Every structure is written in C-alpha cells, then in structure tokens.
Amino acid sequence: MSYIEELRTVIRQLHGAEATHIESVPVKEVFKGQTVWEGIVEVFDLVGHPTAHRVYAWANESDDPNQPRQHVTVLHLHPIKSAQDAVRAAIVREFRNLEPAE
C-alpha cells in the first residue's frame, strides 16, 4: 500500500468519508527560532463528509514499537485554512495532551 493510500484509509476510518489526493505541501513550523516540525502535508478533498470539504494528513514516526507510525489528520474547518494551520493545530493538540491534568 502506498503512503497516499495509507492516509486515505486512515481518513476513511476516522472521518467516514472518501478522500481524493490534491497536493503535497512542504511545511516548516518554527517557534522561537527553533524548528518544531518540518515535513510534507498531504492535502485531500473529501467526498461525503458532513461538515468539511478538505482534510490535511501526514504520518510521524514514533518510538513506540506497538505503533511505529502515528497518523495525523486535521479537517479544513474554521480556523484551519491551510496545511500550515493544520500543522500548528496538531502541535497545539499534542502539547495539550502532554500537559498534566489539574
């Protein structure tokens, strides 16, 4: 299975919609002078999703032997308007998940 097919399968499972690959967008996210994420974001149009017409997706390699590749998908819904926005949202979500619960 190709990388794009793998992402399409994840999108179908998570969002219940078919995805058509549109483009690959290089993204580099820098915070306080440090690169916090750099990679290629795959952009897909969605067919059959109730609220979004597009989704951004990529995979990150992980140190977890049970799940060596983690897939990330971000729907094109306000305020997400671009691949760059999707990466920023995913970074914020990951950071919040790492914070201890109060």
Side-chain angles (χ1 to χ4, degrees):
M1 177 183 302
S2 75
Y3 178 61
I4 297 299
E5 285 300 315
E6 178 181 327
L7 291 175
R8 288 182 71 219
T9 299
V10 169
I11 292 165
R12 189 178 312 111
Q13 290 170 344
L14 292 177
H15 302 290
E18 292 302 316
T20 303
H21 186 251
I22 301 302
E23 63 180 331
S24 302
V25 179
V27 174
K28 181 176 182 179
E29 185 61 26
V30 178
F31 182 72
K32 294 185 179 180
Q34 299 289 322
T35 300
V36 293
W37 192 88
E38 185 172 9
I40 305 295
V41 175
E42 304 301 340
V43 182
F44 296 84
D45 276 347
L46 290 175
V47 177
H49 192 275
T51 57
H53 72 279
R54 182 161 283 173
V55 65
Y56 305 95
W58 62 93
N60 294 320
E61 300 304 317
S62 143
D63 294 334
D64 182 351
N66 296 323
Q67 189 177 6
R69 186 181 280 195
Q70 296 176 334
H71 297 92
V72 180
T73 65
V74 180
L75 293 172
H76 181 99
L77 295 170
H78 181 76
I80 309 302
K81 300 176 188 159
S82 68
Q84 187 87 36
D85 291 344
V87 168
R88 287 182 186 137
I91 290 169
V92 168
R93 181 173 58 203
E94 184 177 332
F95 180 75
R96 287 184 179 154
N97 287 342
L98 295 176
E99 289 181 333
E102 293 184 24

